[in-house]
Amino acid sequence: LVQVNLRKLNLEYKTAHGVKDFVPKRKQPFTRSILCDTLLGTPNGYGLGRYVVKHDSRRWRSLSALVRTLAQTGFRKAELSVDKHGSPCDADCLSHANLRWLLRGRSYSSSDAKSLLPYPQPGDYAILTPPPSKADPFDVVWGDKPIWLAYTGDALCAFSGLADIVLHDMPANSPHSHALFSDDDGLPFSGAQLDALLHHMLRRHYSDATARNYSWHSARIWLACALLASNASRAQIQAVCRWQTEESLNVYAMLGASQYSALLGSAMAVDIDAARAATLADAVPFIDRDDLHRA
């Protein structure tokens, strides 16, 4: 009854005002240019609000690695931060205990990997175990499915950013209680703190109105769109982005202009002879000239 009346009210609103207000207003996906040039390209000494960027600082190493890790994993902001600034790392926050390494074909903890990390080779991997998330609060779905981050020369290589953290900022003990991405004081970033830093980084290149179209979730959308554009299957996209249903995939994995154009171009170039079984005898692809004369 509620659904029937809600539909009636929506139809009345549509008649009076159109459908513009019904269209969801979601964040835009990052582009590679935003990730590499606008975020990672923030120059040394640039002011992000009250914070002045220092490329040799713990905060910047964490921010740089966080951007690359989000681009390659699609983690949600809540999985990398805490609710309140100054709070310790909790069970929902990605910690140093979530990180291992596969180097030269052998598995290592971060403490044992430190001697090899300055000299990465093709075939080396950073291995992240996903923390709990809003879709998997007890980590029973994704907690046993590692994320493999290969060493490459790409600007968005998460391996390199994570290795930098281990080499400079790894805690001496209790890896479970230390956030993988942390501020200069060693405490995890808060969600609000990360939001403010992102907005300041975006404002270096874009207007305030444009910057507000993006959030850290834009990295998750970017990954879904990039996977779709690279011809990953729907099941593969769902697995990499850790969605339990296809509903989120349908929302976030969007075709870009070039992919859309290529699909339509291919479609326009083919001839089809598909037909429904119930009216197969009368289907246009199968009627012959005698049928046309009789008609």
Side-chain angles (χ1 to χ4, degrees), residues 55-113:
H55 284 175
D56 61 351
S57 69
R58 180 175 189 147
R59 178 187 280 196
W60 181 254
R61 280 191 293 271
S62 283
L63 279 175
S64 175
L66 184 146
V67 169
R68 300 178 197 183
T69 302
L70 284 175
Q72 291 200 311
T73 66
F75 279 136
R76 300 172 180 86
K77 179 184 67 177
E79 296 169 65
L80 311 178
S81 62
V82 292
D83 291 335
K84 186 177 180 181
H85 180 62
S87 299
C89 182
D90 56 28
D92 293 329
C93 182
L94 192 73
S95 73
H96 278 270
N98 292 94
L99 176 62
R100 289 190 62 85
W101 303 87
L102 184 67
L103 308 173
R104 321 299 191 268
R106 292 184 57 188
S107 176
Y108 294 90
S109 66
S110 289
S111 57
D112 294 332

Side-chain angles (χ1 to χ4, degrees), residues 20-41:
K20 182 179 179 181
D21 293 331
F22 289 109
V23 179
K25 296 175 177 62
R26 299 186 175 96
K27 297 299 183 182
Q28 294 282 12
F30 284 147
T31 63
R32 186 175 176 88
S33 176
I34 290 176
L35 289 165
C36 295
D37 301 333
T38 304
L39 304 187
L40 294 176

Side-chain angles (χ1 to χ4, degrees), residues 18-265:
V19 298
K20 182 179 179 181
D21 293 331
F22 289 109
V23 179
K25 296 175 177 62
R26 299 186 175 96
K27 297 299 183 182
Q28 294 282 12
F30 284 147
T31 63
R32 186 175 176 88
S33 176
I34 290 176
L35 289 165
C36 295
D37 301 333
T38 304
L39 304 187
L40 294 176
T42 305
N44 199 44
Y46 187 81
L48 301 177
R50 291 182 294 178
Y51 166 59
V52 177
V53 173
K54 297 178 181 178
H55 284 175
D56 61 351
S57 69
R58 180 175 189 147
R59 178 187 280 196
W60 181 254
R61 280 191 293 271
S62 283
L63 279 175
S64 175
L66 184 146
V67 169
R68 300 178 197 183
T69 302
L70 284 175
Q72 291 200 311
T73 66
F75 279 136
R76 300 172 180 86
K77 179 184 67 177
E79 296 169 65
L80 311 178
S81 62
V82 292
D83 291 335
K84 186 177 180 181
H85 180 62
S87 299
C89 182
D90 56 28
D92 293 329
C93 182
L94 192 73
S95 73
H96 278 270
N98 292 94
L99 176 62
R100 289 190 62 85
W101 303 87
L102 184 67
L103 308 173
R104 321 299 191 268
R106 292 184 57 188
S107 176
Y108 294 90
S109 66
S110 289
S111 57
D112 294 332
K114 290 185 73 171
S115 62
L116 295 174
L117 286 177
Y119 316 103
Q121 297 180 1
D124 287 348
Y125 293 87
I127 310 169
L128 282 175
T129 301
S133 65
K134 69 175 185 178
D136 184 20
F138 304 110
D139 221 12
V140 296
V141 178
W142 304 109
D144 65 343
K145 298 175 179 63
I147 299 170
W148 301 87
L149 302 171
Y151 167 69
T152 67
D154 191 274
L156 294 177
C157 176
F159 179 107
S160 300
L162 294 170
D164 209 21
I165 288 177
V166 169
L167 292 171
H168 293 90
D169 308 311
M170 192 180 73
N173 50 47
S174 304
H176 286 88
S177 60
H178 290 84
L180 189 54
F181 306 111
S182 58
D183 207 343
D184 287 331
D185 56 10
L187 291 173
F189 294 108
S190 69
Q193 188 180 13
L194 286 177
D195 289 340
L197 288 168
L198 174 62
H199 190 74
H200 285 302
M201 285 191 279
L202 290 168
R203 288 288 284 116
R204 186 167 68 92
H205 285 167
Y206 304 103
S207 68
D208 186 71
T210 298
R212 293 188 184 281
N213 286 323
Y214 299 89
S215 72
W216 289 110
H217 204 70
S218 296
R220 188 169 173 80
I221 309 172
W222 134 270
L223 180 59
C225 294
L227 288 167
L228 183 66
S230 63
N231 297 318
S233 70
R234 295 177 66 82
Q236 288 171 329
I237 298 172
Q238 188 175 337
V240 170
C241 293
R242 297 176 306 287
W243 285 314
Q244 292 202 42
T245 69
E246 286 198 14
E247 183 177 353
S248 293
L249 191 154
N250 293 334
V251 169
Y252 293 115
M254 301 176 290
L255 289 169
S258 57
Q259 293 82 42
Y260 211 114
S261 175
L263 286 171
L264 285 180

